Amino acid sequence: MVGDKSTTTTAIGRTTNAAFKRDELYLNLTVPNLFRCPISMDVMKSPVSLCTGVTYDRTSIQAWLSQGHNTCPATMQVLPSTDFTPNLTLRRLIHLYVHHTTSSPPELSPNSSLSSSLRNSLISQPEALELIKNLSSRDTASSATKLVEFVRFSEENRRFVANSAVGVSNLVEILRTSEETQVSDQILLVLAIISPENGVKELLNEKILKSDFDYLSKFFWFFRKGSLSSRIASAKILESIASDADSQRKIAEKQGLLFELYKLSNEETDSNAVEASLSALIAVSTSKTAKKELVRFGIVKTVGEILSGSEAVRPVIEKAVEVLASVATCTDGRAAISEDEGCIMGVVKRLMKCSGVATEHGIVVLWSLCCLARDRTAQEAVLKVNGVTKVLLVMQSDCSAGVREMCGDLVKVLRVKNSKSCLASYETRTTHIMPY
């Protein structure tokens, strides 16, 4: 009898677990997007709202903030406060919805339409591998879409595709052979998503840049004819394969490709597109020739508009100032920046206002103009927006030794330029600064 009771209890437990999983799966398929956390995409259990008005599940946003982020994940706005408020109204709505939906979910019979939807949207790792192997079949477009959903789902899935024997190689080959724009878009997304995984950048570099096939012409076509998402993915892939001087030279010298990357930063308002293009330009434009080309395209004016505006998010500002620091290492770049007073003022404006990274790149730009080139126009532009005070504040901050030394040089140069200021007799070795 005891054995029978134990068996019965186990069977009941299995049935209960199966029912719970069925309910949970059904709920995840039918739940309104309003009830999903923008970070985890799961139904929120404890919804809380940031000062930006966006609501997240408490666990997800706490994890985000604990990693040192100070932005709203959905909008990328810098948070003046990281406090959040429980969204009690939304929590009650979710509770009512969950209770109503799971109280009598439909049977998931093998022949039901919902079961068919499940089979088509949720794929296993072996199925994903089969998709990669058979992407030349008639159902290519939907298969590629499933693969994008698969790698987006989890880090484990991304590692699986990245580490599979045929994964990256087959995907790159499909870029070469596919004539369907939708398929190419999806494959680019997959490659961009898995590119940060170990070994993928090196493999992509080998397959794309060391192949007999001219893949860079394909990328030029993607920038000219592809969707916005494919252009963003293309920029990320090019950034990932620009791993050495030879690779950077090949990409930068491919006719029209550098200009297309620049256009993505200049013509798009989507912050992801601008950030991806600027990141790629930084990775690719390491030679003096490439930097001069960027200056000729108008990168200084573009960056100046980004820095002077009020809508740019932190990652874009960081990349924008880094681009300026890069082009400021060549004579043409310094001359172009000096001629754009608004750009210089934008750099000064962003010191200590965005992030430590942006601040340090900004100091490099100002030092290149005011100290290295001794450009009087640039010095006057910095003084016009009280740049000396900003530089002194940077010196007091937790900056690197090299940046602190550049700040000292800037103060010396600018105090001479502004000899009537109280800073004329300022000693840069002073450890405590009161710039009032």
Side-chain angles (χ1 to χ4, degrees), residues 407-417 426-428:
C407 288
D409 292 342
L410 280 165
V411 171
K412 290 176 184 177
V413 168
L414 295 172
R415 76 179 180 186
V416 171
K417 183 69 180 176
Y426 171 74
E427 173 55 56
T428 57

Side-chain angles (χ1 to χ4, degrees), residues 17 43 52 122 126 142-143 147 190 210 271 279 313 316 324 337 367 397 423:
N17 288 337
V43 180
T52 57
L122 302 177
S142 64
S143 297
L147 194 57
V190 174
K210 298 177 182 177
S271 59
S279 295
V313 296
V316 171
L324 275 189
I337 299 170
W367 182 87
S397 69
L423 291 169

Side-chain angles (χ1 to χ4, degrees), residues 376-422:
R376 293 183 179 181
T377 303
Q379 293 169 359
E380 290 171 357
V382 173
L383 289 170
K384 192 177 293 186
V385 286
N386 199 23
V388 180
T389 300
K390 284 290 193 75
V391 173
L392 292 173
L393 291 174
V394 174
M395 286 184 75
Q396 292 185 101
S397 69
D398 187 24
C399 61
S400 65
V403 168
R404 187 171 289 110
E405 185 176 347
M406 282 189 278
C407 288
D409 292 342
L410 280 165
V411 171
K412 290 176 184 177
V413 168
L414 295 172
R415 76 179 180 186
V416 171
K417 183 69 180 176
N418 191 29
S419 57
K420 295 180 181 180
S421 168
C422 63

